[in-house]
Amino acid sequence: KATNRQEYSAEEIAAFTVKDLLRQAQRTVKGRITEGSATYPTLYSQKRKEALLSVYQRAFELLGWEVGADRIHLSLDEANAPAFNYIYTELLDEFRKFRLNKLETQIMSYDFGGGTTDISLMHVLMQRNPKDGRVDIHTTLQGVSGDLRYGGDNVSLEAFRILKTRLALAVAGVRHKAPEPEATPDNPEEKEEDLFGAGGSSWGAEVTEK
């Protein structure tokens, strides 16, 4: 029997997703998007960054136009991007609001993503120029770290495994449970066994009946 088979690389599949995002963005702004900006896991290698760049270029090509590599910006990783956003919004607003002349602080940005963990530590110095009142911001990256293979998906999977094991044990315990003794004057309210250790749960029995 003849079958149709189509194979796609990981970059091509990612490009399909980015293409749809670009279409939604164009409908929102009611105009054509000709540049893209993306963040990446902090410990991404240069090879992976180039693959991400290729994904964006493919996505634009799928929309019918070519965009050069200089129009796609991969300037910040996933830990430093929110750090700079915080510095130039909330921290700068507080500096101006309290009319400070100097502020020096350390900022740690922690991104516990779906598949990776990214951490950045940055030194920030804000100073007000006494001549024109302009705020000068100096940032120094102290270090970055993270894990390319551990993130929220791992936590979700582990929680699923624990729940699956508990449910299996609960159902097995109900099916093999011996008949309970009849209520006696000494024990008028014989309660069903608590399968989850929470007290008085009858959930397992309902599952067995169904």
Side-chain angles (χ1 to χ4, degrees):
K1 182 179 179 180
T3 58
N4 294 324
R5 180 183 178 86
Q6 180 68 53
E7 295 184 359
Y8 298 98
S9 67
E11 291 180 17
E12 288 174 321
I13 294 174
F16 293 148
T17 302
V18 175
K19 179 196 70 174
D20 289 340
L21 292 174
L22 289 171
R23 279 180 173 171
Q24 293 178 26
Q26 288 185 144
R27 287 196 294 266
T28 300
V29 301
K30 295 180 174 58
R32 181 171 173 174
I33 294 177
T34 57
E35 294 191 42
S37 177
T39 59
Y40 51 88
T42 301
L43 300 184
Y44 249 22
S45 64
Q46 184 60 34
K47 184 177 180 180
R48 290 182 173 179
K49 294 177 188 176
E50 292 172 357
L52 182 59
L53 182 66
S54 176
V55 165
Y56 267 73
Q57 288 180 303
R58 286 173 182 263
F60 279 107
E61 290 172 1
L62 290 172
L63 290 175
W65 58 85
E66 294 186 5
V67 173
D70 60 327
R71 307 300 292 276
I72 302 172
H73 310 286
L74 303 178
S75 304
L76 293 173
D77 58 78
E78 293 178 358
N80 282 304
F84 276 107
N85 180 68
Y86 171 75
I87 292 169
Y88 284 91
T89 55
E90 296 185 36
L91 194 62
L92 181 58
D93 287 343
E94 290 183 4
F95 186 87
R96 289 170 172 166
K97 183 188 303 180
F98 293 103
R99 300 184 179 279
L100 300 175
N101 292 321
K102 181 179 179 180
L103 173 65
E104 190 171 2
T105 186
Q106 301 275 0
I107 294 178
M108 186 178 78
S109 175
Y110 179 82
D111 177 18
F112 190 64
T116 64
T117 300
D118 306 291
I119 303 172
S120 167
L121 180 63
M122 188 179 301
H123 175 265
V124 182
L125 174 63
M126 288 187 177
Q127 288 181 307
R128 191 182 300 275
N129 192 313
K131 295 181 179 179
D132 55 13
R134 186 183 65 180
V135 178
D136 296 322
I137 302 176
H138 303 276
T139 59
T140 304
L141 183 63
Q142 305 282 22
V144 294
S145 185
D147 195 320
L148 284 173
R149 295 178 177 82
Y150 189 83
D153 290 345
N154 301 87
V155 176
S156 299
L157 180 59
E158 191 60 31
F160 167 76
R161 287 174 176 166
I162 293 172
L163 179 60
K164 181 180 178 181
T165 302
R166 294 293 298 272
L167 290 174
L169 292 173
V171 173
V174 170
R175 289 177 176 173
H176 296 90
K177 190 170 65 171
E180 296 196 13
E182 295 181 359
T184 63
D186 295 333
N187 190 16
E189 296 182 357
E190 189 71 28
K191 293 185 177 180
E192 187 174 1
E193 180 185 1
D194 179 8
L195 301 175
F196 292 95
S201 172
S202 60
W203 186 89
E206 294 173 1
V207 171
T208 304
E209 292 172 4
K210 291 181 180 179

